[in-house]
Amino acid sequence: MDIKVAIIGGTGVYDLDFLSEKKTTTVSTPFGAVSLQTGLYQGIGTAFLARHGHDHSVAPHRINYQANLWALKTLGIQRVLATAAVGSLRRELPPGHLVLVDQFIDFTKQRPLTFFEGQDSPVVHTDFTEPYCPELRRYLLESAPAGCWLHNRGVYVCTEGPRFETPAEIRLFAQLGGDVVGMTGIPEVVLARELGLCYATIALVTNYGAGLSSQPLTHQEVLECQQANANNLRSLLQNTLPRLKGNPGCQCRKANPGL
Ligand code: HPA
């Protein structure tokens, strides 16, 4: 089976029930082994990776991002669609809306930053003018299911977690130009680009950021909103996958020539 597309499932997305011929595969990488599923949807070979594990046992700051992205590259993946539960920084962006983020601001503190480190590695400064693949974002936008609120752009702020933010942090992030906040987007998008993979995030707003609603924030609220919107997310992925038959026409694979 030719597998060129991967889906990384975030909070609440632990399985892709629409894939047929599903198999579990383990890929070894210099950063550790990665277990993922492969399968088919309308003739498109697809890999599926549950970012937090199938039982949500891996916290955002403990995810082996380097192993995950390296494993996808090893499999021959060209394009990665990632889902992410996010909090909203803006009242006009309510829970249930989907955002195809186009920029990020990095507030992580102690995660691997790059594949280019160690004695024998060159120093590499990768361009991030357009952090998310514009072609993938366009395919996703054109695949929105009816009745689904899908925003074409948004600024994703990534925190270290695993705690939720304080209301002061939420106000700060909004003032800085952020639209949504999550804990897993970095370094995933960075490592994907370093490897020349096309990468796009579908962010599902599961809650208002701390202080924007009168209730304390719980992981349960995040999960419930994710479940309530699972059908939209599934339809969006199903509508998009068949469009990914050809090779990418964007510049993502040229990010680091020679890799
Ligand atoms: N903050 C950070 N990460 C999140 C949130 C949030 O409010 N909701 C879902 N993931």
Side-chain angles (χ1 to χ4, degrees):
M1 191 191 297
D2 203 19
I3 303 177
K4 298 239 169 73
V5 180
I7 293 172
I8 300 182
T11 297
V13 184
Y14 307 120
D15 180 45
L16 284 191
D17 56 5
F18 56 79
L19 292 186
S20 61
E21 299 182 37
K22 268 200 258 187
K23 279 198 206 104
T24 301
T25 312
T26 302
V27 184
S28 10
T29 80
F31 307 95
V34 176
S35 168
L36 41 78
Q37 288 190 326
T38 59
L40 265 183
Y41 181 71
Q42 295 196 1
I44 307 285
T46 305
F48 175 72
L49 179 53
R51 190 187 283 124
H52 296 279
H54 294 276
D55 50 358
H56 202 106
S57 56
V58 189
H61 64 298
R62 313 278 314 187
I63 291 166
N64 193 340
Y65 296 97
Q66 288 172 307
N68 288 351
L69 273 300
W70 196 275
L72 297 184
K73 182 77 178 177
T74 306
L75 275 183
I77 299 293
Q78 295 178 325
R79 292 170 161 135
V80 182
L81 300 173
T83 79
V86 294
S88 170
L89 300 173
R90 309 200 173 274
R91 287 193 197 281
E92 62 274 20
L93 198 53
H97 283 212
L98 294 167
V99 187
L100 299 175
V101 293
D102 67 326
Q103 288 289 321
F104 67 74
I105 302 176
D106 180 6
F107 274 97
T108 63
K109 296 174 184 154
Q110 46 171 18
R111 301 185 182 187
L113 301 170
T114 177
F115 282 117
F116 297 103
E117 58 192 349
Q119 270 180 351
D120 300 330
S121 174
V123 174
V124 173
H125 302 287
T126 306
D127 174 49
F128 272 89
T129 306
E130 197 151 33
Y132 300 88
C133 173
E135 191 180 74
L136 268 186
R137 290 181 52 250
R138 183 164 47 80
Y139 283 137
L140 284 163
L141 191 68
E142 291 167 0
S143 305
C148 163
W149 285 93
L150 182 61
H151 299 260
N152 181 20
R153 58 176 59 88
V155 178
Y156 177 103
V157 177
C158 193
T159 67
E160 187 70 6
R163 67 169 174 84
F164 287 121
E165 300 70 37
T166 63
E169 287 171 327
I170 293 294
R171 284 195 298 272
L172 172 78
F173 295 157
Q175 275 172 21
L176 290 179
D179 296 302
V180 294
V181 58
M183 303 178 192
T184 55
I186 310 288
E188 205 168 83
V189 58
V190 176
L191 299 172
R193 177 59 59 77
E194 284 190 347
L195 293 177
L197 300 171
C198 297
Y199 178 97
T201 295
I202 309 159
L204 168 63
V205 178
T206 52
N207 56 279
Y208 281 114
L212 284 184
S213 94
S214 50
Q215 302 296 317
L217 186 52
T218 63
H219 184 57
Q220 189 57 29
E221 175 183 350
V222 171
L223 281 178
E224 280 171 13
C225 185
Q226 174 72 45
Q227 286 317 316
N229 290 281
N231 285 344
N232 270 346
L233 203 52
R234 186 203 284 109
S235 303
L236 177 58
L237 292 171
Q238 286 177 316
N239 294 348
T240 308
L241 279 175
R243 313 190 65 163
L244 306 182
K245 279 209 173 83
N247 287 323
C250 54
Q251 302 298 310
C252 301
R253 68 189 175 285
K254 300 179 188 156
N256 287 312
L259 244 187

